[in-house]
Amino acid sequence: MIAPMKKVSLVILDREKESALKALRKAGLVHLEPVEGKGEKLAALKNDYAKLQSAAGYLGEIKLPKKTAFPELSQEEAVKKAQLAIDLTERKKSLLEKIAASATEIDRLSAWGTVNPADFAYLSEKGVHLSMYEVPNDKWRLIGEDVKALLVNSSKSGKRFLLLSDSPEAERPAGLPPEAYQVVMPEKSTEEIAADIKAYEAETAQIEKDLAANAVYLKAILAAQKSLEKDIEFENVYSGMEKEAEEKSATLSWLTGYVPVDSLEALKAEAAKNHWALAVDDPSDEDNVPTKLKNNKLVSLIYPLTDFLDVTPGYHEYDISSWFLLFFCVFFAMIFADTGYGAIIALAGLLLLAKAKKGKKSLPVLVTLLGLCTAAWGVLTCSWFGIPAEKLPPVLVQISSRLFSQPKLVLLGMAPEAAKSLADKNQQVFCFVLALMQLSVAHITCTIAHRKSLKCLGDFGSLLQLWGTFYVVLSMVVADGVNYVFPLMDNGNPVNVFGWMAPHYFPTACLGLLGFGFALNFIFSNYEGSVGKSILESLKNIISVFLGIVNVFSDIVSYIRLWAVALAGAAISGTVNAMAGPMFGKLTMMVFGVILLVFGHGLNMILNLLSVIVHGVRLNTLEFSQHLGMAWSGTKYRPFADAESAS
């Protein structure tokens, strides 16, 4: 559930502001409204934080021995070490740029051999003014006889020559072809440039050693960075609090925030102890009220995932944590769809759980739960590392489900092709049933939420529309004329609906349900006290209203992605096994076979994990949430607290 909040305002004496904020932070109860701090101290803290952040990025790239000792530093010392790391890194960047520029210059003049501008200057003083030129080989003969050109060397790229002029400022001779271009004289000789490169490289090597020596302070810098975050937060609030005009004798300061209702008494006690003035009110619809989710330990297992995705329901939206966890476990299992993969995931979760600290066990437990769910689905579908059923122990085929397992259907006497077709169809139907269940939960939730208004009829109409559309999906996507027959018209024959023989008018009833639900939704979905205005609003958006039916259809069909992604994963598993299988025929190739299996199945698991994030999460945060009318527009409840209170 979403914990109810109260809006609170605290008024304190300005001269007691610092001590009051420290007490408030220690209490760790109030989520403060954003304030914009100012002042030199805050700017200095932010500057130090930026230094620590940059240095942590630089030093984090350096690999250190496993048994490296990491000394502790004060915050001031950590900032100094961070500044040193930044200076060294900036100097290294500058040197690398100089090395690159010098190497380019050497490369530019490489065809000329050793070039020394001092020699040209000396000759110029003696009245011999020389310039370096290059020209394509086929243009050399076009140089006029009046041009004093001294050939230096030739290569495939062209000819290099010296141009003798009467003065340093002499104009370009008319006899030179346009293709001849002057080579810019370097500032230093090529020998000096090469020496500079060596010096730069030596200094760069020393800087790298110095950075490696300073990398041992990385943990201290990260700790100082975390501590500084709290200092910045404190100073931001301290310098951003509103207050009365300075000329008053007893200047007051105040701040506003939100506190959970179950923590209100603790805040009142804190206010009485510290002599603060406290005002309490209900939040208005315009307030950006933070969201605090309050659930049991089982439902709270989903929090590591929602925190990673950084999604929080709005204060006036729904807490779908329990449904999110339930359906995400099913989606995860269906996408991985392999008992072997599930066992590996569950084992990894148990190993993480054994090493997890107290209060940090939600993620390992969630991983273990997902692994167990995956293993269970793999047992039902008879999927074991993509191994063909004929190579599995018979007991593994026998315990699989006759609904979803092709090998089990073959064992029961069905032809392999027919068994595969039926198993695939059954899994597709299961995907659509999941869609019906999850989206029905959304519309039932909305109907209950609006039960005191006629708007609930619009939500109920959406529910009926969903059920009718579900039958249309079965008819258009699943029906194969053999195992599944879902006619859209009454043909006089009873309809087999998952083993239940429905009367011949069942298709008409389903389409009628769709039409009746659409009518209810059209009339009452925009109800705000007037049925007429609700109908008028629907008429204004008539195109969107009709597209709503298409959206419901596409939302149901989109759940088939669970089956499709699992099918792709199974194909990859089978391909990896087929490639590695022949390698186990020879002892010398067995090592390569094992490597291929580990790499192939490992890559497949990574791809499946990405699919879970793309598809499994999407079905909860998009399709399901859209039918709930959720925008995930919330701000997570983060009380103003020190490290101890926050934990």
Side-chain angles (χ1 to χ4, degrees), residues 426-446:
N426 287 344
Q427 291 190 35
Q428 292 175 24
V429 170
F430 184 68
C431 291
F432 296 142
V433 170
L434 282 175
L436 180 66
M437 293 171 59
Q438 188 174 30
L439 300 183
S440 293
V441 167
H443 291 295
I444 292 172
T445 300
C446 292

Side-chain angles (χ1 to χ4, degrees), residues 100-361:
S102 298
T104 301
E105 190 74 346
I106 289 287
D107 184 65
R108 181 176 73 88
L109 300 169
S110 60
W112 286 87
T114 301
V115 179
N116 190 345
D119 294 339
F120 285 83
Y122 175 78
L123 292 173
S124 183
E125 291 176 358
K126 302 299 181 181
V128 181
H129 308 292
L130 298 174
S131 303
M132 297 187 298
Y133 274 82
E134 292 188 12
V135 67
N137 289 318
D138 59 342
K139 303 297 181 181
W140 170 255
R141 59 184 178 81
L142 300 179
I143 298 177
E145 295 181 357
D146 59 328
V147 177
K148 299 176 182 179
L150 304 175
L151 182 63
V152 175
N153 61 44
S154 300
S155 65
K156 291 183 179 180
S157 62
K159 296 185 183 296
R160 280 154 287 280
F161 64 93
L162 296 174
L163 179 67
L164 179 62
S165 306
D166 296 332
S167 66
E169 294 81 17
E171 295 183 358
R172 178 188 176 98
L176 275 181
E179 292 81 5
Y181 63 91
Q182 185 177 2
V183 177
V184 178
M185 186 67 64
E187 295 181 358
K188 297 180 179 181
S189 69
T190 52
E191 292 179 344
E192 290 176 313
I193 295 173
D196 287 344
I197 291 177
K198 290 183 178 180
Y200 297 152
E201 290 176 342
E203 187 177 353
T204 301
Q206 183 58 48
I207 288 176
E208 290 177 347
K209 290 180 181 179
D210 294 340
L211 284 172
N214 279 275
V216 297
Y217 301 113
L218 177 60
K219 286 190 176 180
I221 288 174
L222 291 174
Q225 184 180 344
K226 188 174 182 181
S227 174
L228 201 55
E229 287 177 356
K230 290 296 179 181
D231 293 344
I232 291 173
E233 180 187 34
F234 184 91
E235 184 60 27
N236 185 64
V237 176
Y238 179 84
S239 59
M241 287 177 66
E242 297 185 66
K243 62 180 180 180
E244 290 183 305
E246 294 288 348
E247 60 269 14
K248 296 194 176 184
S249 57
T251 305
L252 299 177
S253 294
W254 61 89
L255 51 79
T256 305
Y258 303 90
V259 63
V261 170
D262 57 4
S263 300
L264 185 59
E265 291 303 319
L267 180 62
K268 288 181 178 179
E270 194 70 26
K273 182 176 71 174
N274 293 281
H275 307 291
W276 303 332
L278 176 64
V280 182
D281 198 3
D282 291 322
S284 67
D285 293 337
E286 291 75 25
D287 288 326
N288 184 21
V289 187
T291 302
K292 180 182 180 182
L293 301 179
K294 190 176 181 180
N295 291 293
N296 57 44
K297 290 184 178 180
L298 176 61
V299 176
S300 300
L301 293 178
I302 199 63
Y303 291 169
L305 177 62
T306 54
D307 289 344
F308 171 75
L309 298 172
D310 195 22
V311 291
T312 303
Y315 181 69
H316 298 290
E317 294 181 342
Y318 303 101
D319 176 17
I320 62 170
S321 299
S322 56
W323 297 113
F324 199 129
L325 177 64
L326 173 62
F327 285 104
F328 181 74
C329 287
V330 177
F331 299 158
F332 188 100
M334 293 182 67
I335 288 174
F336 272 83
D338 192 284
T339 307
Y341 290 175
I344 292 174
I345 295 170
L347 181 60
L350 291 174
L351 292 175
L352 290 174
L353 184 61
K355 296 181 178 180
K357 298 179 181 179
K358 187 177 181 181
K360 303 289 184 180
K361 296 186 176 182

Side-chain angles (χ1 to χ4, degrees), residues 58-70:
Y58 297 146
L59 299 179
E61 297 176 356
I62 300 174
K63 293 184 178 180
L64 295 174
K66 293 183 178 180
K67 296 184 179 180
T68 301
F70 295 95

Side-chain angles (χ1 to χ4, degrees), residues 37-53 75-76 78-80 82-83 86 224-225 227-233 235-236 239:
K38 52 189 175 297
E40 294 182 2
K41 185 176 180 180
L42 180 60
L45 290 173
K46 289 183 176 180
N47 184 48
D48 287 346
Y49 183 83
K51 291 179 182 178
L52 293 169
Q53 192 174 38
Q75 186 170 296
E76 183 179 355
V79 172
K80 289 181 179 179
Q83 183 63 61
I86 292 171
Q225 184 180 344
S227 174
L228 201 55
E229 287 177 356
K230 290 296 179 181
D231 293 344
I232 291 173
E233 180 187 34
E235 184 60 27
N236 185 64
S239 59

